[in-house]
Amino acid sequence: IYTIVYTLSLHDALPIYLFGNHLKAKFRPFQYFYIQGDYRELIEKNVFTNDYSNLSLFQFNVAYDRIRFKKFNLGWTLGATYVGNDVQKAGFSYGLHTDVFAIKNISFNSAMIWSRINGLPVNSFEIRGKYHKQNYFFALGYEHLKIATPNYNYMTIGAGIYF
């Protein structure tokens, strides 16, 4: 699965605009196990100075679908989170994920990943609805990121392809 999600948010009503990109790749060599990598790039623009700053967040996980039914999956993930740029630190991560296959061509998924870096939380939560068409899908959702002290909330829109 290859997903690109574009996000836009006005953070805390400050003259700073936040944009984000989220690239997700899953490799499923077995029915119940898969490997997943997430890359998020947060881009912050100060409208007064026109300066940009970036923050990269990488998550690498091994996932197991513990409960798997025709219309519902529930599982866990174990892996690592890495915060790039000026931080350049990694930490252990763990999480939960679920998929609900509601009706033909429509599904919903959510994932929560918790980690700590330098004793501070680096957590992500996402919930997304997908419309599937052959080997493609279109998605609409919500993401919440907590990176140390700040919280970021995004509405997401994206598309993906199954190989």
Side-chain angles (χ1 to χ4, degrees), residues 64-69 72-76 96-99:
Y64 175 56
D65 285 341
R66 177 65 181 107
I67 299 172
R68 191 171 171 104
F69 296 111
F72 177 79
N73 293 341
L74 175 67
W76 52 260
L96 295 171
H97 66 270
T98 185
D99 297 296

Side-chain angles (χ1 to χ4, degrees), residues 16-152:
I16 296 172
Y17 290 95
L18 291 175
F19 302 88
N21 292 314
H22 181 182
L23 175 65
K24 179 183 298 223
K26 288 184 185 180
F27 175 64
R28 201 178 265 277
F30 306 106
Q31 182 178 0
Y32 296 104
F33 288 96
Y34 62 91
I35 299 167
Q36 177 175 301
D38 290 272
Y39 164 64
R40 292 178 175 91
E41 184 71 29
L42 303 178
I43 304 153
E44 185 176 67
K45 179 185 178 188
N46 186 316
V47 296
F48 294 130
T49 63
N50 280 332
D51 290 335
Y52 288 90
S53 59
N54 295 38
L55 182 64
S56 301
L57 178 65
F58 300 88
Q59 293 173 315
F60 306 99
N61 291 288
V62 174
Y64 175 56
D65 285 341
R66 177 65 181 107
I67 299 172
R68 191 171 171 104
F69 296 111
K70 185 177 179 180
K71 296 226 175 231
F72 177 79
N73 293 341
L74 175 67
W76 52 260
T77 62
L78 293 175
T81 297
Y82 176 79
V83 179
N85 303 84
D86 295 336
V87 179
Q88 296 186 356
K89 299 281 182 179
F92 174 74
S93 68
Y94 58 93
L96 295 171
H97 66 270
T98 185
D99 297 296
V100 177
F101 308 100
I103 56 175
K104 185 179 179 182
N105 296 344
I106 304 288
S107 69
F108 299 94
N109 69 305
S110 66
M112 297 169 279
I113 297 176
W114 298 276
S115 59
R116 295 190 76 73
I117 296 176
N118 287 340
L120 298 170
V122 179
N123 305 332
S124 65
F125 169 76
E126 61 186 63
I127 187 164
R128 190 165 287 119
K130 295 180 182 176
Y131 173 74
H132 303 269
K133 183 85 172 163
Q134 296 172 346
N135 288 1
Y136 305 93
F137 68 84
F138 303 96
L140 183 64
Y142 166 80
E143 285 192 25
H144 172 80
L145 300 174
K146 180 170 182 63
I147 304 172
T149 307
N151 288 294
Y152 304 98

